[in-house]
Amino acid sequence: MSAIGRRSRDDLGRAYVQALSRGLEWLQMEASVASLTFDQLARLAEVWVDDVRRQQARHRVIEALQFLHGRVASRWVRWADTFGLPQPPTTGDPVDIIASPYRLATDLRLGRYVAGLLPLYDTALAILAGDHAAKTDYELLSAPWRQVCLPSPFTPTTLYGPRTQLALSALSARRFPRSCLTQILCARRAIDNADWEAATDTVHKAALASGYPYRGKCLFREAVASAETAADESPTHPELAQALWGYSAVQAFHQQLTADGAALLAGPYRAGGRTPPPA
């Protein structure tokens, strides 16, 4: 197992984030990623300029984050999946992985899209560095995000919309008995992968139609963490994460999915006996 794989259950360290001097901003950051719109992406690309000052500030912040490089690299791997970017090699040097999204800005096929995302990467570095980085570096690197994404109408309690708490409560699998997890896993494996992928696609289309294209993927990353905690192994069975996400997604995207699609996605979770059967 790679070093990143070992860290994936809590890739940034819950205790570190809670003690972070800019911890509240990190929560705002995560909420803004889940609620990011294409309009915001376009505006971020317009205001982000990778000049020498920003490059130097980024280098200083990355140096200050040496003790956290592996965990930051793990987050970059997650974000590559969330944003649909090429995955960096997960067995590579963490510093190389941290640099990977910035190299994509030179790709003519991705340049404009990546330019809208890089302010988020810069902001994440600046926030996570906390008091280990100069305030001027934080202000420079986070300026585009603060200008475009703040104030946000969403908070950590509403980042998936009005049914956020219902969706997140479905991910409390750490309290499930092992027998329940086994039933959930078996029920998910009994569903044909093509049928599951088709139902999954309806969630991402619903997120896109709502104007927040990354909500489904961000919710899935939370389901992965929940599955790993519940199973006490990292990585764990992908089908377990899928099953937890499926039920959670049905809660978040209530009435935006077809009845058949919602029933299929919620079925494995319900098989664990943790919810009443649908009416």
Side-chain angles (χ1 to χ4, degrees):
M1 186 187 305
S2 71
I4 290 175
R6 289 194 297 272
R7 294 187 176 99
S8 61
R9 192 181 312 170
D10 187 7
D11 66 342
L12 287 171
R14 185 181 302 273
Y16 178 76
V17 171
Q18 288 178 340
L20 193 62
S21 61
R22 298 191 176 101
L24 291 178
E25 287 159 287
W26 180 253
L27 295 179
Q28 285 181 307
M29 173 72 185
E30 291 192 311
S32 67
V33 170
S35 58
L36 191 68
T37 68
F38 286 140
D39 178 64
Q40 286 177 321
L41 268 177
R43 287 188 285 140
L44 284 168
E46 289 175 359
V47 300
W48 185 80
V49 178
D50 197 26
D51 55 18
V52 173
R53 287 180 62 237
R54 182 167 278 107
Q55 292 169 4
Q56 291 175 340
R58 185 184 307 126
H59 176 75
R60 287 191 294 268
V61 168
I62 292 174
E63 283 289 307
L65 277 170
Q66 284 188 32
F67 64 99
L68 210 62
H69 280 174
R71 295 184 184 273
V72 174
S74 177
R75 177 52 61 110
W76 269 210
V77 170
R78 292 185 178 202
W79 274 5
D81 175 68
T82 298
F83 298 133
L85 298 177
Q87 277 283 359
T90 56
T91 56
D93 186 317
V95 175
D96 190 55
I97 294 174
I98 291 171
S100 62
Y102 299 97
R103 290 195 294 268
L104 294 176
T106 61
D107 189 324
L108 296 179
R109 299 166 299 170
L110 299 171
R112 183 68 177 173
Y113 175 65
V114 173
L117 294 172
L118 292 183
L120 302 178
Y121 286 91
D122 275 350
T123 301
L125 291 171
I127 291 175
L128 291 172
D131 294 332
H132 298 281
K135 183 179 180 180
T136 52
D137 288 342
Y138 159 79
E139 291 176 345
L140 178 62
L141 292 176
S142 66
W145 171 70
R146 288 184 284 110
Q147 177 181 338
V148 173
C149 299
L150 298 182
S152 171
F154 300 102
T155 69
T157 61
T158 62
L159 74 169
Y160 298 115
R163 294 172 61 87
T164 295
Q165 294 311 302
L166 282 172
L168 294 180
S169 66
L171 299 181
S172 57
R174 65 182 180 276
R175 297 194 297 268
F176 291 3
R178 181 67 58 172
S179 60
C180 171
L181 298 176
T182 299
Q183 290 172 324
I184 291 173
L185 183 60
C186 289
R188 165 60 192 95
R189 287 177 172 172
I191 298 174
D192 183 81
N193 284 336
D195 292 338
W196 184 267
E197 289 299 323
T200 294
D201 191 50
T202 65
V203 173
H204 297 309
K205 287 180 178 177
L208 184 62
S210 73
Y212 305 104
Y214 303 111
R215 276 186 173 170
K217 285 292 189 73
C218 288
L219 187 59
F220 178 73
R221 298 317 313 182
E222 298 208 39
V224 170
S226 177
E228 291 176 341
T229 298
D232 195 26
E233 60 180 7
S234 178
T236 191
H237 305 289
E239 297 94 343
L240 180 59
Q242 292 166 7
L244 297 182
W245 172 83
Y247 187 80
S248 182
V250 169
Q251 307 314 303
F253 295 92
H254 181 64
Q255 295 184 337
Q256 295 174 266
L257 308 176
T258 66
D260 288 345
L264 186 147
L265 289 168
Y269 190 101
R270 289 191 182 280
R274 308 303 295 182
T275 64

